[in-house]
Amino acid sequence: MELAGLALLGMLIVISPGADFVLVLKNSLNRGRLAGVWSAVGISLAITVHIAYSMLGISYLISQNEWLFNLVRYAGALYLIYLGLKGIFGAQRQSGGEPETTENGDGWRFLVQGFLCNLLNPKTMLFFLSVFSQVLSPEAESQHMALFYGVYMVVLHGIWFSMVAVLFTAPGLKTVLLGMKHRLNQACGAGLVIFGAMLGLKS
């Protein structure tokens, strides 16, 4: 597959709504722009892990080992459901006024949430496995191409989800969203629960 085609595929994967998008949106609405940006950083860091084990061939071994793959799948499903339920039941408490401000020292919590949300998603693992199976070959130059593509995906995730955090906390849109904050929190929480349930139930 040509690099341009892979770049386009990566862009489509990143911008398509999924659990990462819902998490960044929820954290941005509830705790402000900085929380969303930290979540985006965590997602980008998780991408580096996916790239590392894809290039080493470990993801292939995991995908061929049913019990290990299921362990990762169920762990990811449970984590998404946990985040979703937390958002649903915390919606009423967080429904009023401006979002709580996020101090610099609090950023690690949202970074960890973003990191685990992406890292524990086996769909992301299989995506990188399939992509790198196209990029990697015995030739040495393919290693450089794979590394370049990996850096591209890390940067792309960071930029896109940071843009989501900035956009949904922009003054004009923010005022409208704050009026619907309770419903949005419930919708985001329900979305995470649905993603988690689909992931856990999928055979």
Side-chain angles (χ1 to χ4, degrees):
M1 187 181 292
E2 294 294 331
L3 188 60
L6 287 171
L8 179 59
L9 175 62
M11 189 174 299
L12 292 175
I13 290 295
V14 171
I15 67 176
S16 61
D20 292 336
F21 178 88
V22 174
L23 179 66
V24 172
L25 176 59
K26 180 178 76 71
N27 286 345
S28 299
L29 291 177
N30 290 332
R31 297 302 300 272
R33 179 176 297 176
L34 190 58
V37 171
W38 275 113
S39 302
V41 172
I43 291 169
S44 292
L45 289 177
I47 296 300
T48 65
V49 177
H50 290 300
I51 291 167
Y53 66 60
S54 292
M55 292 187 68
L56 292 173
I58 297 176
S59 58
Y60 176 79
L61 296 178
I62 293 177
S63 68
Q64 298 301 309
N65 191 319
E66 186 175 357
W67 74 266
L68 185 55
F69 175 74
N70 284 333
L71 179 64
V72 174
R73 179 162 65 94
Y74 290 129
L78 288 173
Y79 185 70
L80 291 179
I81 292 172
Y82 161 75
L83 290 178
L85 292 175
K86 185 178 178 182
I88 291 172
F89 291 111
Q92 185 63 50
R93 179 177 57 83
Q94 299 170 334
S95 61
E98 294 285 329
E100 301 176 46
T101 56
T102 300
E103 302 294 336
N104 288 331
D106 294 333
W108 68 270
R109 290 190 295 142
F110 303 103
L111 184 148
V112 170
Q113 283 186 9
F115 181 80
L116 291 178
C117 183
N118 186 276
L119 182 68
L120 295 175
N121 190 342
K123 288 184 179 180
T124 306
M125 177 193 74
L126 293 177
F127 166 74
F128 279 100
L129 170 63
S130 61
V131 168
F132 277 89
S133 68
Q134 299 290 328
V135 177
L136 289 171
S137 66
E139 290 78 20
E141 58 195 33
S142 74
Q143 301 290 331
H144 298 98
M145 181 178 176
L147 184 60
F148 173 81
Y149 186 73
V151 172
Y152 164 77
M153 290 299 292
V154 171
V155 173
L156 188 61
H157 277 79
I159 291 176
W160 169 249
F161 288 112
S162 294
M163 286 175 58
V164 170
V166 171
L167 175 64
F168 282 92
T169 53
L173 186 57
K174 180 180 178 181
T175 302
V176 176
L177 292 176
L178 282 175
M180 306 184 299
K181 188 175 179 183
H182 176 62
R183 294 300 181 191
L184 284 170
N185 282 334
Q186 289 183 323
C188 288
L192 287 171
V193 171
I194 290 171
F195 281 121
M198 290 175 62
L199 186 60
L201 294 175
K202 185 175 181 180
S203 58

